[in-house]
Amino acid sequence: MSDPIRLSRFKRGDASRINVSFEFFPPKDEAMEKILWESIERLAPLSPNFVSVTYGAGGSTRERTHATVKRILAETPLTPAAHLTCVAATRAEIDDIVRNYHAAGVRHIVALRGDAIDGAGAAYKVHPGGYETSAELVAGIKRISSDFDVSVSAYPEKHPDSPNVDADIDMLKAKVDAGADRAITQFFFENDLYFRYLDRVRARGIDIPIVPGILPVQNFKSAKNFAERAGASVPTWLAERFHGLDDDPATRKLIAAAVAAEQVIDLVDRGVTQFHFYTMNRADLVYAICHLLGLRPAVEQAA
Ligand code: FAD
């Protein structure tokens, strides 16, 4: 007799149920810009719900975010989502950015508090005259125009600044009450962490989508560093899988694909239909995972 779970995986060629979004960071130089645009062009035919562009702490980084978002809008059929933080700016300055985005046709903002100006881990200080919390920022964006779609963050393993998961969920509730339309999670490697968190969020009466953020592990060392800063745990089994492969990029890539496939297919089997991919501006691995999820380029589908 066939295994019903296996069968359901193959029948899930029904990709109309699956929604994906892709996150990129603004490029620092011409070489990185080329890689970014090749990745966007490769992933665009998969018709993501939206593609988001992160926002850094410094002035030039911010300009690069605005420029990337506007180029996506001008040169692709994609829906851009601009990340925005409360860091180092007054409310008036942030409101101007939001109004500029609206005038340019941007209708989706990922609203965040952001990290302390001295970097993640340092104590966060509210900028004089700035938005005090991410919830206030969400309310400010919605005040400027209610037609903004606003996404916020969520932390299945709690944010490093939070005393506990409940305090974190209080913050999520405040963001939802302020008008947030969806939350995107910090990445995680153990799916049970996500489902336990989801149960607590739903028990708190929060009913917006909590979209899992998936980090395909392109480079284990940098993923581990990234996880340490973000307060995400790295299971021993994951370290074991990449152990000994520092000088073997080809095998690393196969292992990365297998790990990510295992994670997303388990999520699909447990009812998840929306995914946000932290692409790190690289398309190959994300493209392969989306293919596994049943997504196909729009042209191929139409043919
Ligand atoms: P919030 O959800 O507002 O707060 C997180 C937790 O910190 C809260 O639950 C609360 O318990 C605690 N907390 C908040 N404020 C205080 C306070 N004043 N005192 C004590 N505790 C407090 N960072 C960037 O710089 N640019 C980006 O583009 C970016 N994109 C991101 C996208 C996603 C999907 C995620 C998950 C994170 C992203 N980050 C980004 C990282 C984020 O800015 C940091 O994690 C930041 O430290 C918290 O911002 P937040 O909006 O997630 O926090």
Short mmCIF file of all heavy atoms in Angstrom, two decimals, residues 39-63:
data_model
loop_
_atom_site.label_atom_id
_atom_site.label_comp_id
_atom_site.label_asym_id
_atom_site.label_seq_id
_atom_site.Cartn_x
_atom_site.Cartn_y
_atom_site.Cartn_z
N SER A 39 19.73 37.42 -9.73
CA SER A 39 18.88 36.61 -8.84
C SER A 39 17.41 37.03 -8.98
O SER A 39 16.51 36.17 -9.03
CB SER A 39 19.32 36.78 -7.38
OG SER A 39 20.65 36.36 -7.24
N ILE A 40 17.19 38.34 -9.02
CA ILE A 40 15.80 38.81 -9.16
C ILE A 40 15.22 38.30 -10.48
O ILE A 40 14.09 37.79 -10.53
CB ILE A 40 15.73 40.36 -9.06
CG1 ILE A 40 16.06 40.81 -7.62
CG2 ILE A 40 14.36 40.88 -9.49
CD1 ILE A 40 16.07 42.30 -7.40
N GLU A 41 16.02 38.39 -11.55
CA GLU A 41 15.52 37.94 -12.86
C GLU A 41 15.23 36.43 -12.87
O GLU A 41 14.29 35.98 -13.49
CB GLU A 41 16.52 38.30 -13.95
CG GLU A 41 16.33 39.74 -14.41
CD GLU A 41 17.52 40.29 -15.16
OE1 GLU A 41 18.27 39.50 -15.76
OE2 GLU A 41 17.71 41.52 -15.12
N ARG A 42 16.04 35.69 -12.17
CA ARG A 42 15.85 34.23 -12.12
C ARG A 42 14.60 33.87 -11.32
O ARG A 42 13.86 32.96 -11.68
CB ARG A 42 17.08 33.58 -11.47
CG ARG A 42 16.98 32.10 -11.23
CD ARG A 42 17.86 31.34 -12.19
NE ARG A 42 17.99 29.94 -11.79
CZ ARG A 42 17.36 28.96 -12.44
NH1 ARG A 42 16.59 29.21 -13.47
NH2 ARG A 42 17.52 27.71 -12.04
N LEU A 43 14.36 34.59 -10.23
CA LEU A 43 13.24 34.24 -9.35
C LEU A 43 11.92 34.87 -9.76
O LEU A 43 10.85 34.36 -9.42
CB LEU A 43 13.59 34.62 -7.90
CG LEU A 43 14.74 33.82 -7.27
CD1 LEU A 43 15.17 34.42 -5.93
CD2 LEU A 43 14.35 32.34 -7.08
N ALA A 44 11.98 35.98 -10.50
CA ALA A 44 10.75 36.71 -10.84
C ALA A 44 9.70 35.85 -11.54
O ALA A 44 8.51 35.96 -11.21
CB ALA A 44 11.10 37.93 -11.70
N PRO A 45 10.10 34.98 -12.51
CA PRO A 45 9.06 34.19 -13.20
C PRO A 45 8.27 33.26 -12.28
O PRO A 45 7.25 32.72 -12.67
CB PRO A 45 9.86 33.40 -14.24
CG PRO A 45 11.13 34.15 -14.42
CD PRO A 45 11.44 34.75 -13.08
N LEU A 46 8.73 33.06 -11.05
CA LEU A 46 7.99 32.22 -10.10
C LEU A 46 6.81 32.98 -9.49
O LEU A 46 6.08 32.45 -8.65
CB LEU A 46 8.91 31.69 -9.00
CG LEU A 46 10.06 30.79 -9.50
CD1 LEU A 46 10.96 30.36 -8.35
CD2 LEU A 46 9.50 29.55 -10.21
N SER A 47 6.63 34.23 -9.90
CA SER A 47 5.50 35.07 -9.48
C SER A 47 5.32 35.13 -7.96
O SER A 47 4.26 34.76 -7.44
CB SER A 47 4.19 34.58 -10.11
OG SER A 47 4.34 34.42 -11.49
N PRO A 48 6.36 35.59 -7.25
CA PRO A 48 6.20 35.71 -5.79
C PRO A 48 5.11 36.72 -5.44
O PRO A 48 4.85 37.63 -6.22
CB PRO A 48 7.58 36.22 -5.34
CG PRO A 48 8.14 36.92 -6.55
CD PRO A 48 7.64 36.12 -7.73
N ASN A 49 4.55 36.54 -4.27
CA ASN A 49 3.58 37.50 -3.73
C ASN A 49 4.18 38.90 -3.68
O ASN A 49 3.54 39.88 -3.98
CB ASN A 49 3.27 37.11 -2.29
CG ASN A 49 1.85 36.74 -2.11
OD1 ASN A 49 1.12 36.60 -3.07
ND2 ASN A 49 1.46 36.58 -0.85
N PHE A 50 5.42 38.95 -3.17
CA PHE A 50 6.17 40.21 -3.12
C PHE A 50 7.64 39.90 -2.96
O PHE A 50 8.01 38.76 -2.62
CB PHE A 50 5.68 41.12 -1.97
CG PHE A 50 5.83 40.56 -0.59
CD1 PHE A 50 7.00 40.74 0.15
CD2 PHE A 50 4.81 39.83 0.00
CE1 PHE A 50 7.14 40.22 1.43
CE2 PHE A 50 4.93 39.29 1.29
CZ PHE A 50 6.11 39.49 2.00
N VAL A 51 8.48 40.89 -3.24
CA VAL A 51 9.92 40.75 -2.95
C VAL A 51 10.30 41.89 -2.03
O VAL A 51 9.93 43.04 -2.29
CB VAL A 51 10.79 40.76 -4.23
CG1 VAL A 51 10.54 39.52 -5.05
CG2 VAL A 51 10.59 41.99 -5.07
N SER A 52 10.97 41.60 -0.94
CA SER A 52 11.26 42.66 0.02
C SER A 52 12.74 43.02 -0.01
O SER A 52 13.59 42.20 -0.38
CB SER A 52 10.79 42.26 1.41
OG SER A 52 11.70 41.38 2.02
N VAL A 53 13.01 44.27 0.35
CA VAL A 53 14.39 44.78 0.34
C VAL A 53 14.70 45.32 1.72
O VAL A 53 13.99 46.20 2.23
CB VAL A 53 14.57 45.90 -0.72
CG1 VAL A 53 16.02 46.37 -0.75
CG2 VAL A 53 14.12 45.43 -2.09
N THR A 54 15.76 44.80 2.34
CA THR A 54 16.08 45.18 3.72
C THR A 54 16.62 46.61 3.79
O THR A 54 17.00 47.21 2.78
CB THR A 54 17.09 44.22 4.37
OG1 THR A 54 18.30 44.29 3.62
CG2 THR A 54 16.57 42.80 4.37
N TYR A 55 16.67 47.11 5.03
CA TYR A 55 16.99 48.51 5.29
C TYR A 55 18.07 48.56 6.35
O TYR A 55 17.93 47.95 7.42
CB TYR A 55 15.72 49.15 5.83
CG TYR A 55 15.69 50.63 5.95
CD1 TYR A 55 15.64 51.43 4.80
CD2 TYR A 55 15.64 51.25 7.20
CE1 TYR A 55 15.55 52.81 4.91
CE2 TYR A 55 15.55 52.63 7.31
CZ TYR A 55 15.51 53.39 6.16
OH TYR A 55 15.41 54.75 6.27
N GLY A 56 19.19 49.24 6.07
CA GLY A 56 20.29 49.24 7.03
C GLY A 56 20.29 50.46 7.92
O GLY A 56 19.38 51.29 7.87
N ALA A 57 21.32 50.52 8.74
CA ALA A 57 21.37 51.59 9.74
C ALA A 57 21.89 52.91 9.18
O ALA A 57 21.48 53.98 9.59
CB ALA A 57 22.23 51.14 10.91
N GLY A 58 22.80 52.85 8.22
CA GLY A 58 23.45 54.10 7.79
C GLY A 58 22.76 54.76 6.61
O GLY A 58 21.96 54.15 5.92
N GLY A 59 23.11 56.03 6.35
CA GLY A 59 22.49 56.81 5.29
C GLY A 59 22.63 56.20 3.91
O GLY A 59 21.65 56.04 3.18
N SER A 60 23.89 55.80 3.54
CA SER A 60 24.08 55.31 2.17
C SER A 60 23.35 53.98 1.97
O SER A 60 22.82 53.71 0.90
CB SER A 60 25.58 55.12 1.90
OG SER A 60 26.10 54.19 2.80
N THR A 61 23.28 53.15 3.04
CA THR A 61 22.55 51.89 2.95
C THR A 61 21.09 52.17 2.66
O THR A 61 20.45 51.49 1.87
CB THR A 61 22.64 51.14 4.30
OG1 THR A 61 23.96 51.26 4.77
CG2 THR A 61 22.25 49.70 4.17
N ARG A 62 20.57 53.20 3.32
CA ARG A 62 19.16 53.53 3.14
C ARG A 62 18.88 53.97 1.71
O ARG A 62 17.89 53.56 1.12
CB ARG A 62 18.76 54.63 4.13
CG ARG A 62 18.83 54.08 5.52
CD ARG A 62 18.48 55.07 6.57
NE ARG A 62 18.41 54.34 7.82
CZ ARG A 62 18.00 54.86 8.96
NH1 ARG A 62 17.63 56.11 9.01
NH2 ARG A 62 17.95 54.11 10.04
N GLU A 63 19.79 54.79 1.17
CA GLU A 63 19.61 55.23 -0.23
C GLU A 63 19.57 54.02 -1.15
O GLU A 63 18.82 53.98 -2.11
CB GLU A 63 20.76 56.16 -0.64
CG GLU A 63 20.62 57.58 -0.09
CD GLU A 63 19.20 58.12 -0.29
OE1 GLU A 63 18.68 58.03 -1.41
OE2 GLU A 63 18.60 58.60 0.70
#
